[in-house]
Amino acid sequence: MKALVLSGGAGTRLRPLTHTSAKQLVPVANKPVLFYGLEAIADAGITEVGIVVGDTADEIREAVGDGSKFGIEVTYIPQTAPLGLAHAVVIAREFLADEDFVMYLGDNFIVGGISDLVDSFRADRPTAQILLTQVSDPKSFGVAELGPDGRVVGLEEKPEVPKSDLALVGVYLFTPAVHEAVRAIKPSWRGELEITHALQWLIDADLDVRSTTISGYWKDTGNVNDMLEVNRSVLERAEPRIEGLVDATSEIIGRVQIDEGAQVSASRIVGPAVIGAGSVIAGSYIGPFTSISRDCTITDSEIEFSIILDGSSVRGASRVEASIIGRNVEVTPAPRVPAAHRLILGDHSKVQISS
């Protein structure tokens, strides 16, 4: 069995971060989202992985390499434009050959991995198997309709009137039958080849499309709020580990990871939180669910529920929360502007001016 990982999207919902960086490489708990997916694929016993790449191909290649550090062998598949998930299957035809495969969206995060799902698919081998989860706003997702026996009877992409609250999670398993489906469908109104249309083609051909509804944690990390939420979820399972230097005037509370080479002085850190190698925390408060990446400098500041990327500095910030700060950013106080009041008052006026 092979894996097809999609890492070619533009990441418009994470701009401005994704103007200069691949969305799949934005870190949660100081590790790129993409890496969690590759580790899950390796844990499922899949070693041949094709990664579909677009404009950020060079950055993805540099980060992942040949895949050996994950225990996999990577083949890169260029995509000229993000033309839909089914289009990714079309262009990966040579790599996939006639083998079963799992398709994994590189910016998705699933707690617990996919090993059980892959084992189940290998054992039963339906034509296709999809993951579903209940969502509060199904209009924003591909939505599945299930029959009385639990089989998938219909799929719609971002419907105006959803027929259920079951959204497709970004993991799909296919036999080679899907290759005929992706070539038979036409682009949607968005100009994309939709994987939901390919799945519907399989259903209409009376082929076996099954679903598994997951109750565990899943997130599409396509926007800032979801990225912070995934960061929170990962940090909640972090084990305390202090390898850097912490002086006697600092206080470390709860599940805090301080990597080798980091320095903490005159500060209070309340976990779960992680401080990357080479970072310096001085005279500051780092609150829960905060990830400080490598070589950052935080002085005289308060930061909570945030992600700070490599090489950035925050100095004299009274309070930063629910934020993502990109690489090599400098945050400092604004210069004080002299305050003045210009008054034109008539006779017998009474004016109160707050200081």
Side-chain angles (χ1 to χ4, degrees):
M1 192 171 188
K2 294 183 177 182
L4 185 65
V5 178
L6 275 55
S7 297
T12 54
R13 292 178 294 161
L14 272 174
R15 287 177 180 168
L17 288 172
T18 48
H19 280 307
T20 54
S21 177
K23 65 176 179 177
Q24 298 84 6
L25 295 181
V26 176
V28 292
N30 285 4
K31 181 163 67 175
V33 172
L34 176 61
F35 288 12
Y36 291 97
L38 295 178
E39 290 169 354
I41 288 167
D43 289 343
I46 300 171
T47 57
E48 293 183 76
V49 180
I51 301 182
V52 177
V53 291
D55 292 342
T56 58
D58 291 344
E59 191 177 4
I60 298 288
R61 287 174 185 268
E62 183 178 355
V64 177
D66 63 3
S68 57
K69 62 184 174 184
F70 303 99
I72 59 177
E73 181 181 338
V74 170
T75 299
Y76 292 97
I77 303 167
Q79 187 179 37
T80 55
L83 297 175
L85 305 188
H87 179 260
V89 177
V90 171
I91 64 173
R93 182 69 176 91
E94 182 179 351
F95 165 76
L96 295 169
D98 290 321
E99 295 191 40
D100 296 349
F101 67 97
V102 56
M103 184 168 72
Y104 196 114
L105 273 58
D107 59 353
N108 274 225
F109 182 87
I110 301 174
V111 169
I114 60 171
S115 295
D116 290 345
L117 179 71
V118 170
D119 290 343
S120 173
F121 182 81
R122 282 172 166 152
D124 298 337
R125 205 165 178 265
T127 304
Q129 188 159 351
I130 59 176
L131 257 66
L132 303 174
T133 191
Q134 288 185 305
V135 295
S136 58
D137 181 22
K139 291 182 180 181
S140 301
F141 301 91
V143 175
E145 180 184 5
L146 303 183
D149 60 353
R151 296 289 179 95
V152 183
V153 297
L155 292 156
E156 292 182 281
E157 186 65 33
K158 298 180 174 62
E160 282 296 321
V161 183
K163 294 179 180 178
S164 79
D165 62 353
L166 295 172
L168 275 75
V169 174
V171 177
Y172 310 79
L173 295 106
F174 295 109
T175 63
V178 73
H179 294 301
E180 185 179 359
V182 296
R183 282 172 168 77
I185 61 175
K186 303 296 182 184
S188 67
W189 62 270
R190 302 193 302 170
E192 297 185 4
L193 289 178
E194 309 286 358
I195 200 66
T196 46
H197 291 178
L199 286 161
Q200 187 66 54
W201 189 93
L202 295 172
I203 293 168
D204 294 341
D206 207 24
L207 296 171
D208 188 6
V209 177
R210 301 185 189 180
S211 69
T212 299
T213 301
I214 61 173
S215 56
Y217 188 85
W218 163 78
K219 277 289 183 184
D220 170 0
T221 60
N223 62 51
V224 170
N225 289 338
D226 285 342
M227 185 69 70
L228 290 171
E229 180 63 19
V230 170
N231 189 63
R232 180 198 63 76
S233 176
V234 174
L235 288 177
E236 279 187 333
R237 296 186 301 281
E239 294 296 327
R241 171 175 50 79
I242 298 178
E243 298 173 348
L245 299 177
V246 179
D247 75 355
T249 65
S250 295
E251 185 178 15
I252 309 298
I253 301 172
R255 297 189 302 274
V256 176
Q257 294 182 352
I258 301 176
D259 290 345
E260 185 176 359
Q263 300 178 42
V264 179
S265 63
S267 297
R268 187 169 187 256
I269 302 179
V270 179
V274 57
I275 311 298
S279 289
V280 176
I281 314 296
S284 296
Y285 165 76
I286 307 298
F289 311 122
T290 300
S291 296
I292 309 292
S293 295
R294 299 172 59 91
D295 301 320
C296 294
T297 301
I298 313 296
T299 57
D300 301 324
S301 300
E302 296 184 5
I303 302 176
E304 189 168 307
F305 190 52
S306 294
I307 299 172
I308 315 297
L309 273 60
D310 292 356
S312 290
S313 63
V314 180
R315 295 181 171 89
S318 57
R319 184 76 176 180
V320 174
E321 62 181 29
S323 301
I324 300 181
I325 295 175
R327 296 175 178 83
N328 302 309
V329 172
E330 294 183 9
V331 178
T332 58
R336 183 177 294 275
V337 178
H341 301 281
R342 180 171 182 259
L343 305 175
I344 302 174
L345 305 174
D347 297 346
H348 310 297
S349 297
K350 293 182 179 179
V351 176
Q352 292 182 333
I353 297 177
S354 59
S355 57

